[in-house]
Amino acid sequence: ILVSGEVDLVTELSGGKEAVVASLVPGDLMAESSMIEPYQLTVSGVATRDGSLITIDAAELRAYCRDNPEVGFAVISQIARLLLDKLRIIFGKGDIKGAYKDLDEILGSDGVKGEMLASGLQLRGVLNLRQGRESRALGDFTAAIKTTHENDSLRSVCFANRGITFINVGNFDKAVSDLNKAIELDPTSGFAYA
């Protein structure tokens, strides 16, 4: 936990380029990927302003979370949310292969459920679609749609993305059905109309 100072989290993109995926300020967590299998750090921290931090042994915290499931679920859920946010930044910088690998690790975690799971599946579906893996994209969008949560805007985006994927594979009836469902769920979203 960063107590004072500032830290940039840097990841290596394809081709050896580096990108800042987050700038941390006091109160922010770092090294949270050490809590999710395979328990490896996925970014490097670079201090941009002198400061201090509180360190917590990841193995001890994992053991505590195993012994106290309610705490463990809360910790893993928060960590997965942070990792998904960082993943969106990496994806936005064009490192699809790295984003896909990290996302698979996150989605494999037991603490990822509900809206967070649907959001991750939707993001992986987009990655699959961009790589020409339409059948995998359809599977991810369908799983995201079926995941229990209350966010109709997210569900609308999943229907719209599945509709676009159906267009790509030539299944226009299913595409129209999904795009209409996306509009029904969120009539204010321009995404389904495009």
Side-chain angles (χ1 to χ4, degrees), residues 29-121:
L29 297 176
M30 53 192 302
E32 61 273 2
S33 61
S34 64
M35 290 294 294
I36 297 175
E37 286 187 50
Y39 311 121
Q40 296 175 342
L41 299 179
T42 57
V43 296
S44 299
V46 179
T48 57
R49 204 174 93 214
D50 286 346
S52 62
L53 51 94
I54 297 171
T55 59
I56 301 170
D57 183 89
E60 288 180 21
L61 182 57
R62 287 193 305 268
Y64 183 80
C65 289
R66 270 191 304 275
D67 294 342
N68 299 277
E70 288 181 12
V71 172
F73 180 77
V75 168
I76 294 299
S77 293
Q78 183 62 28
I79 288 171
R81 187 178 316 279
L82 291 168
L83 291 174
L84 279 173
D85 289 345
K86 290 174 188 170
L87 186 61
R88 285 186 183 98
I89 294 167
I90 293 169
F91 174 65
K93 295 187 184 288
D95 187 15
I96 293 175
K97 185 177 180 183
Y100 191 85
K101 178 183 170 276
D102 290 346
L103 187 54
D104 275 347
E105 290 175 14
I106 294 167
L107 293 175
S109 169
D110 290 336
V112 181
K113 298 185 184 331
E115 184 177 333
M116 194 181 328
L117 176 60
S119 181
L121 288 165

Side-chain angles (χ1 to χ4, degrees), residues 17 78 101 126 161 166 175 177:
K17 289 194 233 176
Q78 183 62 28
K101 178 183 170 276
V126 170
N161 277 323
F166 278 133
S177 176

